PDB file of all heavy atoms in Angstrom:
ATOM      1  N   SER A 412      53.795  97.846  47.596  1.00  0.00           N
ATOM      2  CA  SER A 412      52.773  98.552  46.855  1.00  0.00           C
ATOM      3  C   SER A 412      51.552  98.887  47.722  1.00  0.00           C
ATOM      4  O   SER A 412      51.078 100.064  47.711  1.00  0.00           O
ATOM      5  CB  SER A 412      52.331  97.732  45.656  1.00  0.00           C
ATOM      6  OG  SER A 412      51.248  98.314  44.976  1.00  0.00           O
ATOM      7  N   LYS A 413      51.097  97.897  48.513  1.00  0.00           N
ATOM      8  CA  LYS A 413      49.892  98.126  49.298  1.00  0.00           C
ATOM      9  C   LYS A 413      50.097  99.008  50.483  1.00  0.00           C
ATOM     10  O   LYS A 413      49.198  99.831  50.852  1.00  0.00           O
ATOM     11  CB  LYS A 413      49.287  96.786  49.670  1.00  0.00           C
ATOM     12  CG  LYS A 413      48.690  96.041  48.475  1.00  0.00           C
ATOM     13  CD  LYS A 413      47.986  94.745  48.847  1.00  0.00           C
ATOM     14  CE  LYS A 413      47.362  94.120  47.640  1.00  0.00           C
ATOM     15  NZ  LYS A 413      46.735  92.814  47.918  1.00  0.00           N
ATOM     16  N   VAL A 414      51.247  98.895  51.148  1.00  0.00           N
ATOM     17  CA  VAL A 414      51.528  99.796  52.241  1.00  0.00           C
ATOM     18  C   VAL A 414      51.676 101.245  51.778  1.00  0.00           C
ATOM     19  O   VAL A 414      51.170 102.213  52.359  1.00  0.00           O
ATOM     20  CB  VAL A 414      52.768  99.336  53.069  1.00  0.00           C
ATOM     21  CG1 VAL A 414      53.189 100.409  54.079  1.00  0.00           C
ATOM     22  CG2 VAL A 414      52.539  98.034  53.739  1.00  0.00           C
ATOM     23  N   THR A 415      52.390 101.412  50.678  1.00  0.00           N
ATOM     24  CA  THR A 415      52.539 102.783  50.068  1.00  0.00           C
ATOM     25  C   THR A 415      51.183 103.341  49.698  1.00  0.00           C
ATOM     26  O   THR A 415      50.896 104.518  50.002  1.00  0.00           O
ATOM     27  CB  THR A 415      53.435 102.693  48.814  1.00  0.00           C
ATOM     28  OG1 THR A 415      54.709 102.181  49.157  1.00  0.00           O
ATOM     29  CG2 THR A 415      53.579 104.065  48.192  1.00  0.00           C
ATOM     30  N   ALA A 416      50.304 102.510  49.119  1.00  0.00           N
ATOM     31  CA  ALA A 416      48.961 103.002  48.750  1.00  0.00           C
ATOM     32  C   ALA A 416      48.161 103.390  49.999  1.00  0.00           C
ATOM     33  O   ALA A 416      47.401 104.376  50.007  1.00  0.00           O
ATOM     34  CB  ALA A 416      48.239 101.951  47.933  1.00  0.00           C
ATOM     35  N   ALA A 417      48.288 102.575  51.060  1.00  0.00           N
ATOM     36  CA  ALA A 417      47.535 102.859  52.281  1.00  0.00           C
ATOM     37  C   ALA A 417      47.988 104.177  52.881  1.00  0.00           C
ATOM     38  O   ALA A 417      47.149 104.976  53.336  1.00  0.00           O
ATOM     39  CB  ALA A 417      47.719 101.724  53.250  1.00  0.00           C
ATOM     40  N   LEU A 418      49.285 104.408  52.918  1.00  0.00           N
ATOM     41  CA  LEU A 418      49.831 105.659  53.489  1.00  0.00           C
ATOM     42  C   LEU A 418      49.383 106.849  52.639  1.00  0.00           C
ATOM     43  O   LEU A 418      48.935 107.875  53.152  1.00  0.00           O
ATOM     44  CB  LEU A 418      51.327 105.567  53.611  1.00  0.00           C
ATOM     45  CG  LEU A 418      51.886 104.622  54.669  1.00  0.00           C
ATOM     46  CD1 LEU A 418      53.387 104.350  54.438  1.00  0.00           C
ATOM     47  CD2 LEU A 418      51.612 105.130  56.047  1.00  0.00           C
ATOM     48  N   ASN A 419      49.561 106.703  51.332  1.00  0.00           N
ATOM     49  CA  ASN A 419      49.176 107.815  50.452  1.00  0.00           C
ATOM     50  C   ASN A 419      47.687 108.117  50.554  1.00  0.00           C
ATOM     51  O   ASN A 419      47.257 109.236  50.681  1.00  0.00           O
ATOM     52  CB  ASN A 419      49.509 107.449  48.985  1.00  0.00           C
ATOM     53  CG  ASN A 419      50.920 107.761  48.599  1.00  0.00           C
ATOM     54  OD1 ASN A 419      51.466 108.802  48.992  1.00  0.00           O
ATOM     55  ND2 ASN A 419      51.559 106.886  47.881  1.00  0.00           N
ATOM     56  N   GLY A 420      46.848 107.027  50.549  1.00  0.00           N
ATOM     57  CA  GLY A 420      45.414 107.189  50.582  1.00  0.00           C
ATOM     58  C   GLY A 420      44.971 107.848  51.862  1.00  0.00           C
ATOM     59  O   GLY A 420      44.101 108.777  51.872  1.00  0.00           O
ATOM     60  N   SER A 421      45.501 107.386  52.993  1.00  0.00           N
ATOM     61  CA  SER A 421      45.073 107.973  54.310  1.00  0.00           C
ATOM     62  C   SER A 421      45.438 109.434  54.400  1.00  0.00           C
ATOM     63  O   SER A 421      44.597 110.254  54.824  1.00  0.00           O
ATOM     64  CB  SER A 421      45.741 107.169  55.419  1.00  0.00           C
ATOM     65  OG  SER A 421      45.429 107.785  56.689  1.00  0.00           O
ATOM     66  N   LEU A 422      46.653 109.766  54.049  1.00  0.00           N
ATOM     67  CA  LEU A 422      47.085 111.165  54.203  1.00  0.00           C
ATOM     68  C   LEU A 422      46.372 112.082  53.211  1.00  0.00           C
ATOM     69  O   LEU A 422      46.003 113.231  53.556  1.00  0.00           O
ATOM     70  CB  LEU A 422      48.617 111.258  54.069  1.00  0.00           C
ATOM     71  CG  LEU A 422      49.366 110.649  55.282  1.00  0.00           C
ATOM     72  CD1 LEU A 422      50.818 110.348  54.922  1.00  0.00           C
ATOM     73  CD2 LEU A 422      49.270 111.574  56.490  1.00  0.00           C
ATOM     74  N   ARG A 423      46.152 111.627  51.995  1.00  0.00           N
ATOM     75  CA  ARG A 423      45.388 112.441  51.039  1.00  0.00           C
ATOM     76  C   ARG A 423      43.977 112.646  51.516  1.00  0.00           C
ATOM     77  O   ARG A 423      43.411 113.727  51.393  1.00  0.00           O
ATOM     78  CB  ARG A 423      45.472 111.783  49.657  1.00  0.00           C
ATOM     79  CG  ARG A 423      46.797 111.899  48.974  1.00  0.00           C
ATOM     80  CD  ARG A 423      46.876 111.069  47.727  1.00  0.00           C
ATOM     81  NE  ARG A 423      48.180 111.159  47.072  1.00  0.00           N
ATOM     82  CZ  ARG A 423      48.639 110.300  46.222  1.00  0.00           C
ATOM     83  NH1 ARG A 423      47.943 109.229  45.860  1.00  0.00           N
ATOM     84  NH2 ARG A 423      49.861 110.492  45.679  1.00  0.00           N
ATOM     85  N   ASP A 424      43.366 111.585  52.028  1.00  0.00           N
ATOM     86  CA  ASP A 424      41.974 111.723  52.503  1.00  0.00           C
ATOM     87  C   ASP A 424      41.869 112.745  53.649  1.00  0.00           C
ATOM     88  O   ASP A 424      40.848 113.371  53.816  1.00  0.00           O
ATOM     89  CB  ASP A 424      41.456 110.364  52.996  1.00  0.00           C
ATOM     90  CG  ASP A 424      41.165 109.408  51.820  1.00  0.00           C
ATOM     91  OD1 ASP A 424      41.146 109.868  50.670  1.00  0.00           O
ATOM     92  OD2 ASP A 424      41.007 108.198  52.097  1.00  0.00           O
ATOM     93  N   GLN A 425      42.975 112.851  54.383  1.00  0.00           N
ATOM     94  CA  GLN A 425      42.996 113.817  55.507  1.00  0.00           C
ATOM     95  C   GLN A 425      43.312 115.250  55.016  1.00  0.00           C
ATOM     96  O   GLN A 425      43.228 116.177  55.824  1.00  0.00           O
ATOM     97  CB  GLN A 425      44.004 113.389  56.585  1.00  0.00           C
ATOM     98  CG  GLN A 425      43.652 112.080  57.231  1.00  0.00           C
ATOM     99  CD  GLN A 425      44.685 111.688  58.267  1.00  0.00           C
ATOM    100  OE1 GLN A 425      44.815 112.295  59.336  1.00  0.00           O
ATOM    101  NE2 GLN A 425      45.473 110.677  57.967  1.00  0.00           N
TER     102      GLN A 425
END
Side-chain angles (χ1 to χ4, degrees):
S412 174
K413 289 185 177 177
V414 171
T415 301
L418 291 166
N419 275 319
S421 175
L422 288 163
R423 285 171 182 160
D424 288 347
Q425 296 179 71

